[in-house]
Amino acid sequence: MTMGKKSKAAASVAVTVAAAATLALGTGPASAYSGGAHGAVFVQTDGVNGNAVVAYSRAADGTLRQSGVYRTGGLGGVLDGSVVDHLASQGSLTYDRAHGLLYAVNAGSDTVTVFAVHGDRLVRRQIVSSGGDFPVGVAVHGGLVYVLNALGGGSVQGFRTVHGSLVKVAAWHRPLGLDPAAAPQFTHTPGQLAFTPDGRALVVTTKAGADTIDVFPVGRSGIAARPVVTPTPGAVPFGFTFDARGRLVVTEAGTNSVATFRVGADLRLTKVSEVATGQAATCWIVRDGRHVYASNAGSGTLSGLRVGADGTLTAVGNTATGAGTVDADVSSDGRFLYAQTGKEGGVDEFRVNHDGSLTRSGSVLVPGAVGGEGIAAS
């Protein structure tokens, strides 16, 4: 395993970050293609010499065609110990469908870029401080946006969406209290944050940093000062999604398994079901209807599981991908799944069948995206 170093050469980026929000007007695409598009897929490169989002138009059969390259105005970053997953997180590129915005983290610059989404085109609107060290994830609910920072012990920072821009709320900063010296960084930093579907809580996974799932109550004054903590010894909770009934569905990288948890009225978690994938480095997960798909970076596979009405999990099979399977997303119509492959920096395209099986339809090589993470489909 090769060792990377965090890129912090912010001086090389012509960006000035103000205390609240700094606007930066959009840059145009390197190329343009809109004919016959049935949706779009956006992929973050996480380039340490200049981060970018590559846009793809989606054809009726789910195949992708590059339509533009959009610079974020910031730098990507690499956590120590990472190889195919430089951010070691889920949700570093987040689509805010309600506001038509796309949020991209710039881990090496400690900033977040906000793009306006127009079909398969992007317009850069803003670059704002992440409120911490090495941002790796973004969560959205209504007018609330929270950013997950991985280093310096980890933290979350809250923002409000105002007229298409993010305004940082200083009082909405919460440290996670992880050991900043724990090594390697890619296993001991937080994995993901996301709101529960009803918006009453913000969930954070800490991976091996604390082996916990932290659930922060959300109120009118932001998230609570302290979370409700569920210990998961040895599980290394990483990525997660929610099933149709609001249960948490989590990848456990320590045991290479997927587990469901019921979220109680007191925000405590109760495990409902757990299934081993039989694969290596089970870290990311995405939901499509009653099925979830876990990415196994060490095996180059996607593990499909069906989620029952009571939260029980049933394996439906593994599907081969390119090497280094990382973040994934599903088209808004539920027909197609797109998985990043970090070793070569590509995206594999799959048709989702009624029984939950996947049929590969093609792949694209994303320019400059080896080791990159962050994908969002419309």
Side-chain angles (χ1 to χ4, degrees):
M1 180 177 291
T2 58
M3 298 295 288
K5 291 293 182 183
K6 174 190 173 189
S7 173
K8 293 284 288 179
S12 67
V13 181
V15 176
T16 300
V17 180
T22 300
L23 296 181
L25 295 179
T27 58
S31 62
Y33 173 79
S34 297
H38 287 72
V41 174
F42 304 102
V43 185
Q44 181 169 243
T45 67
D46 191 45
V48 296
N49 296 314
N51 192 17
V53 175
V54 183
Y56 293 87
S57 61
R58 173 167 59 87
D61 63 357
T63 56
L64 302 179
R65 175 169 174 174
Q66 185 177 318
S67 58
V69 179
Y70 301 84
R71 294 181 297 276
T72 67
L75 301 178
V78 182
L79 290 171
D80 286 348
S82 66
V83 179
V84 298
D85 55 337
H86 290 167
L87 300 180
S89 69
Q90 179 166 311
S92 61
L93 188 68
T94 299
Y95 180 35
D96 181 354
R97 191 180 306 276
H99 294 94
L101 300 173
L102 186 72
Y103 306 106
V105 302
N106 302 303
S109 303
D110 298 338
T111 60
V112 175
T113 299
V114 183
F115 290 100
V117 179
H118 302 282
D120 60 357
R121 297 183 300 109
L122 301 176
V123 176
R124 196 171 79 201
R125 295 180 57 93
Q126 181 189 25
I127 302 169
V128 62
S129 167
S130 71
D133 193 357
F134 206 90
V136 295
V138 180
V140 179
H141 185 82
L144 302 180
V145 175
Y146 273 81
V147 176
L148 178 64
N149 295 291
L151 296 183
S155 66
V156 295
Q157 174 64 57
F159 299 79
R160 286 195 183 276
T161 305
V162 180
H163 303 302
S165 296
L166 295 182
V167 176
K168 183 164 61 178
V169 182
W172 292 359
H173 180 87
R174 299 289 182 270
L176 296 178
L178 305 179
D179 181 359
Q185 289 177 338
F186 88 109
T187 56
H188 288 77
T189 47
Q192 185 185 354
L193 85 168
F195 287 93
T196 55
D198 58 12
R200 70 188 180 105
L202 183 72
V203 180
V204 179
T205 51
T206 64
K207 298 193 328 238
D211 259 322
T212 62
I213 303 172
D214 298 351
V215 184
F216 289 88
V218 177
R220 292 185 178 180
S221 58
I223 65 173
R226 292 183 177 84
V228 176
V229 177
T230 298
T232 59
V236 190
F238 193 128
F240 62 91
T241 185
F242 295 91
D243 72 6
R245 300 196 178 190
R247 285 177 292 251
L248 194 66
V249 188
V250 185
T251 57
E252 298 179 329
T255 55
N256 292 311
S257 59
V258 177
T260 53
F261 292 84
R262 184 173 60 253
V263 184
D266 59 359
L267 301 184
R268 298 189 183 279
L269 304 180
T270 303
K271 183 173 284 189
V272 176
S273 180
E274 180 177 352
V275 172
T277 64
Q279 305 295 292
T282 303
C283 296
W284 297 263
I285 192 164
V286 64
R287 174 188 162 219
D288 187 2
R290 61 177 181 166
H291 294 96
V292 294
Y293 301 89
S295 297
N296 307 296
S299 303
T301 58
L302 290 163
S303 292
L305 302 104
R306 184 170 61 252
V307 185
D310 60 355
T312 57
L313 296 167
T314 304
V316 296
N318 297 314
T319 303
T321 70
T325 322
V326 289
D327 217 347
D329 202 5
V330 173
S331 60
S332 58
D333 59 11
R335 297 175 59 204
F336 306 104
L337 183 149
Y338 301 95
Q340 287 181 280
T341 53
K343 184 175 181 180
E344 301 296 334
V347 173
D348 288 351
E349 309 157 353
F350 297 92
R351 184 176 71 249
V352 182
N353 302 313
H354 180 71
D355 62 358
S357 63
L358 301 175
T359 300
R360 185 165 175 168
S361 56
S363 64
V364 294
L365 192 64
V366 183
V370 173
E373 285 177 276
I375 186 167
S378 68

